[in-house]
Amino acid sequence: MRKWNVEDSLELYNMQGWGINYFSINEKGNVQVTPSRDGRAIDLKELLDELQMRDVATPVLLRFPDILDSRIEEMYRCFRQASVENHYQANAYTIFPIKVNQMQPVVEELVSHGKKFNIGLEAGSKPELHAVIANNTDTDSLIVCNGYKDEDYIELALLAQKMGRRIFIVVEKLNELKLIAEVSERLHVRPNIGIRIKLSSSGSGKWESSGGDSSKFGLNTSELMDAVSILEQNDLVDCFKLIHFHIGSQVNKIRRIKIALKEAAQFYVQLRKMGIGVEYVDIGGGLGVDYDGTRSSNSDSSVNYSIQEYVNDAVYAMVDASDKNELPHPNIITESGRSLTAHHSVLIFDVLESTSLPKWNKEEVLSDEIHENVRDLCNILNKLSQPHLLEDWHDALQIREESLNLFSLGLLDIKERALVERLFWSIAREVVKMSQRLKHIPNELEGLPQRLADKYFCNFSLFQSLPDSWAIDQLFPIVPIQRHTENPDNYATIQDITCDSDGKIDNFIVTTNSSQTLPVHSLKEGENYYIGVFLVGAYQEILGDLHNLFGDTNAVHISLTDEAYSIDQIIDGETVAEVLDYAQYNPKKLVRAVETWVTSSVKSGRITAKEGREFLAIYRSGLYGYTYLEKE
């Protein structure tokens, strides 16, 4: 048999599909990341070994700012190419909606590197606007204010505009426009007004329902005309400078985007013909990420287009509509936060242990007094053959069901039940092996491999670190970090350490399909086995919750240097005390309460004074330790 190699692993996990040159496997069999175009790579296993020496425990979130820089440059390059090809005469602006990843180090890196590309920020709420205004954005950079607004929100935005920021307040509901008129008059500011238009076009994929006629935000055409009347009444028509639309996140079909762009371009044309000087068209988000690497519109976790095609279509739609009507080209704004940030973060956790269904020891000898059901299953296992595969499997199912009933009636003892289980699951394994050689696998055998899969218990919380995997069945690339020169000899599902049956992952990318099990290696005694979840830089951190009071993981920022790489920043994960404080437990009061209880126990003679001191030391140190499991 040919020896397993790195190329086999690359194909198995489809890394060349979703990795898009950022992620691959080196000759050592370790996953590596190549953050920039110069080809220098970082070995993730060696990086984890170094972090372990620095007492940075897993689970850990690795952030690669160089990938953020690369994504910004890619977006800029695509717009520049599309501008040349379409003779585009206006400007294109990339805006980062901070709701995608509000973590300050991430926003800071995007702003810092994006200065030369004039990258801007979008706020969708009052707290986000506070964060955006305080960031060191250039006065030429755009700030787009979306979401529902009250008087404080509008006042804050207008005063920031008065001090020199280029802020656009996007109207989501008609009553906001009246409020903008009142506040701007009071503050003596001519506001930059945008209006979100509710297109009839909708996106595709998981978030298709968030666009179209039934979308949550925006004004329909009738309301848009009412908005123009309100602007006229308040002498604000010249302040109406931007139209905005959004057809949904992670749009997987480029045709839906083309249709929406064409419709939006007509809104621009019609408003200009009415004498309204709209200068900007904000095409919103929706630019998808190819999570599974299939480049297919049949998958909600993929897209059938590239960034360049997306940008080409956006520029062409605006140029074509403008030229046909002899109008100036509008400035284009894109809010593609997912595409900018998804690739830059990798979650890595260690496997704590594994469990598997029982196996039959072929050397075991059955006694003469053994129950006939046990003997019948043993005979099925010994004579199992492909021609009679389904018949033998049906017999095994019937005998197992009968045996469970006999056990419930007290007619089969516990030792015999254990033998039945070991024999049955061994038969099931053989049935799966034989069925894989069949041209067509019977329907009733399709779910069997998942039932037979091992369970790998891993040191992380699905609800904290991968909430979209639980909430909307988002598919993320998941790959072992090491041992890719070895054939993965097991199939497993991933189980987290929360006390929740939903805390598991059973949907994976294998070759060019999804699978309910992940190919993994058997665990070795005394050796850490790491698994990485990739493309988690969008939404996952900020959406995470404190289920079972598991807090934020450790986070590490790694950048390339002239020699190799640099660990720029280590952000400690949350302690037990910190997450308890969120739930309104006062750590100091907890310690005092425990001290009182321990003192009482010592006085009553339940424990010695030494044992009491040891318990208190363990309790206090545990309060300020990591919320995840730690190895000594």
Side-chain angles (χ1 to χ4, degrees):
M1 178 180 276
R2 182 177 65 82
K3 190 177 184 298
W4 187 268
N5 58 39
V6 166
E7 285 69 29
D8 294 322
S9 282
L10 286 170
E11 181 180 357
L12 177 63
Y13 300 103
N14 198 26
M15 289 187 74
Q16 291 168 322
W18 54 262
I20 56 171
N21 299 321
Y22 291 127
F23 305 104
S24 59
I25 300 172
N26 61 25
E27 67 279 358
K28 298 177 184 177
N30 298 332
V31 174
Q32 64 180 14
V33 55
T34 307
S36 64
R37 289 177 177 269
D38 64 11
R40 288 179 296 152
I42 300 170
D43 186 312
L44 292 185
K45 177 61 169 62
E46 293 178 359
L47 173 61
L48 289 169
D49 291 341
E50 180 176 344
L51 290 174
Q52 192 173 36
M53 287 191 292
R54 295 192 183 201
D55 289 329
V56 180
T58 51
V60 61
L61 186 74
L62 304 180
R63 297 193 189 120
F64 297 94
D66 292 310
I67 292 182
L68 289 175
D69 301 348
S70 170
R71 301 301 287 173
I72 294 170
E73 291 171 12
E74 176 74 3
M75 187 69 73
Y76 176 78
R77 184 191 62 77
C78 289
F79 267 112
R80 186 175 55 190
Q81 181 175 325
S83 297
V84 171
E85 291 178 357
N86 292 280
H87 306 290
Y88 179 52
Q89 301 301 313
N91 296 313
Y93 297 89
T94 298
I95 301 290
F96 177 65
I98 71 168
K99 69 177 182 180
V100 174
N101 192 321
Q102 291 133 334
M103 305 309 290
Q104 192 270 343
V106 175
V107 177
E108 184 179 48
E109 177 64 29
L110 284 163
V111 169
S112 175
H113 187 79
K115 280 184 178 179
K116 56 189 171 185
F117 305 111
N118 206 21
I119 194 169
L121 299 175
E122 181 261 2
S125 67
K126 191 160 48 177
E128 288 186 350
L129 182 58
H130 281 78
V132 165
I133 287 175
N135 268 278
N136 187 27
T137 52
D138 290 340
T139 54
D140 284 339
S141 298
L142 302 184
I143 295 176
V144 177
C145 298
N146 288 323
Y148 290 122
K149 304 163 194 71
D150 61 8
E151 186 172 343
D152 289 342
Y153 186 145
I154 293 168
E155 188 173 47
L156 183 65
L158 289 176
L159 286 173
Q161 180 189 330
K162 197 171 186 177
M163 290 185 287
R165 293 295 181 90
R166 294 181 68 189
I167 291 185
F168 288 83
I169 303 176
V170 178
V171 174
E172 307 279 2
K173 297 294 179 185
L174 276 176
N175 67 327
E176 292 178 359
L177 193 53
K178 298 172 184 177
L179 200 54
I180 292 169
E182 293 172 7
V183 177
S184 62
E185 183 178 7
R186 173 165 53 84
L187 297 177
H188 306 292
V189 179
R190 300 293 290 173
N192 296 317
I193 296 175
I195 293 181
R196 181 160 170 168
I197 297 169
K198 190 180 292 187
L199 301 182
S200 63
S201 310
S202 62
S204 58
K206 292 181 185 292
W207 289 272
E208 181 175 344
S209 61
S210 65
D213 295 325
S214 60
S215 62
K216 176 180 178 181
F217 295 106
L219 308 185
N220 58 39
T221 311
S222 178
E223 290 171 325
L224 177 60
M225 293 298 96
D226 292 340
V228 171
S229 297
I230 294 171
L231 290 169
E232 290 172 343
Q233 292 165 15
N234 290 275
D235 191 27
L236 292 174
V237 174
D238 62 309
C239 297
F240 182 10
K241 298 179 180 179
L242 178 148
I243 57 172
H244 172 46
F245 73 90
H246 180 67
I247 60 170
S249 184
Q250 184 67 17
V251 180
N252 60 354
K253 297 177 182 177
I254 191 63
R255 179 166 172 76
R256 296 292 186 91
I257 296 171
K258 289 174 183 283
I259 293 169
L261 286 165
K262 191 172 182 179
E263 184 181 357
Q266 281 306 307
F267 272 99
Y268 168 74
V269 168
Q270 294 300 319
L271 288 169
R272 291 290 301 208
K273 286 183 175 180
M274 289 173 61
I276 299 172
V278 174
E279 301 173 10
Y280 298 83
V281 176
D282 185 340
I283 65 175
L287 173 56
V289 169
D290 194 357
Y291 287 97
D292 63 21
T294 60
R295 192 71 180 270
S296 168
S297 63
N298 295 322
S299 167
D300 288 343
S301 298
S302 185
V303 292
N304 69 348
Y305 56 91
S306 65
I307 296 178
Q308 187 65 67
E309 185 178 358
Y310 173 86
V311 170
N312 287 347
D313 287 341
V315 173
Y316 174 79
M318 299 306 152
V319 169
D320 182 59
S322 301
D323 288 351
K324 285 179 179 176
N325 292 277
E326 299 181 347
L327 294 172
H329 298 168
N331 299 299
I332 296 174
I333 297 173
T334 179
E335 300 179 11
S336 305
R338 183 188 296 270
S339 180
L340 286 178
T341 59
H343 298 80
H344 92 283
S345 290
V346 181
L347 174 71
I348 297 182
F349 45 76
D350 54 306
V351 179
L352 301 169
E353 62 177 329
S354 66
T355 62
S356 58
L357 291 168
K359 297 179 181 179
W360 176 253
N361 181 359
K362 292 183 179 179
E363 297 179 0
E364 189 166 352
V365 178
L366 297 177
S367 67
D368 293 337
E369 294 79 23
I370 202 71
H371 196 283
E372 62 177 335
N373 282 12
V374 177
R375 194 171 301 282
D376 289 344
L377 284 174
C378 190
N379 290 334
I380 291 173
L381 179 61
N382 291 331
K383 72 179 181 64
L384 198 63
S385 63
Q386 192 167 309
H388 302 96
L389 192 63
L390 269 183
E391 181 182 349
D392 291 337
W393 176 239
H394 292 156
D395 289 343
L397 284 170
Q398 186 269 326
I399 293 170
R400 179 181 185 244
E401 183 178 353
E402 182 182 306
S403 299
L404 294 176
N405 289 333
L406 289 172
F407 178 78
S408 297
L409 295 170
L411 301 176
L412 189 77
D413 67 35
I414 193 168
K415 292 181 180 179
E416 290 172 325
R417 172 169 172 160
L419 291 174
V420 167
E421 287 181 357
R422 282 153 50 193
L423 283 162
F424 176 79
W425 291 116
S426 295
I427 290 168
R429 289 186 181 90
E430 293 301 317
V431 167
V432 168
K433 287 180 185 177
M434 291 182 182
S435 68
Q436 289 171 347
R437 298 194 292 268
L438 297 174
K439 188 173 181 180
H440 299 291
I441 298 176
N443 292 337
E444 57 193 289
L445 300 181
E446 286 182 353
L448 195 52
Q450 184 187 17
R451 294 176 65 191
L452 291 168
D454 288 357
K455 290 181 173 63
Y456 272 40
F457 293 90
C458 300
N459 192 16
F460 81 110
S461 164
L462 183 75
F463 308 94
Q464 175 60 249
S465 295
L466 299 171
D468 277 349
S469 179
W470 165 72
I472 58 172
D473 296 322
Q474 174 67 53
L475 188 62
F476 293 101
I478 301 178
V479 183
I481 296 301
Q482 75 262 47
R483 294 174 61 183
H484 286 289
T485 56
E486 305 173 31
N487 186 355
D489 53 349
N490 274 359
Y491 289 88
T493 57
I494 302 296
Q495 316 288 319
D496 74 0
I497 56 172
T498 65
C499 295
D500 197 309
S501 57
D502 279 346
K504 64 180 179 180
I505 305 175
D506 55 9
N507 198 12
F508 306 94
I509 300 162
V510 177
T511 314
T512 56
N513 298 297
S514 62
S515 170
Q516 294 176 316
T517 58
L518 178 71
V520 290
H521 306 88
S522 297
L523 303 181
K524 293 181 180 179
E525 187 72 29
E527 179 183 292
N528 289 327
Y529 189 69
Y530 297 110
I531 291 177
V533 187
F534 297 80
L535 278 58
V536 297
Y539 295 104
Q540 300 319 293
E541 285 185 80
I542 209 65
L543 289 178
D545 66 29
L546 290 173
H547 192 15
N548 274 155
L549 295 185
F550 287 112
D552 286 340
T553 67
N554 294 322
V556 181
H557 289 235
I558 308 102
S559 62
L560 289 169
T561 63
D562 291 338
E563 296 179 359
Y565 63 84
S566 169
I567 296 176
D568 298 332
Q569 189 176 8
I570 296 175
I571 304 165
D572 293 329
E574 288 176 310
T575 65
V576 172
E578 287 170 330
V579 298
L580 285 171
D581 189 57
Y582 292 151
Q584 300 182 0
Y585 292 94
N586 185 308
K588 289 183 179 179
K589 289 183 178 179
L590 291 176
V591 171
R592 295 291 175 263
V594 171
E595 286 174 343
T596 301
W597 173 52
V598 170
T599 301
S600 174
S601 297
V602 171
K603 286 181 178 179
S604 65
R606 292 190 185 93
I607 58 172
T608 65
K610 180 182 178 182
E611 289 171 331
R613 287 193 297 272
E614 288 176 352
F615 179 84
L616 284 172
I618 292 170
Y619 187 86
R620 291 192 193 101
S621 65
L623 272 177
Y624 299 98
Y626 205 15
T627 59
Y628 296 91
L629 304 188
E630 298 180 89
K631 294 182 179 179
E632 296 296 331

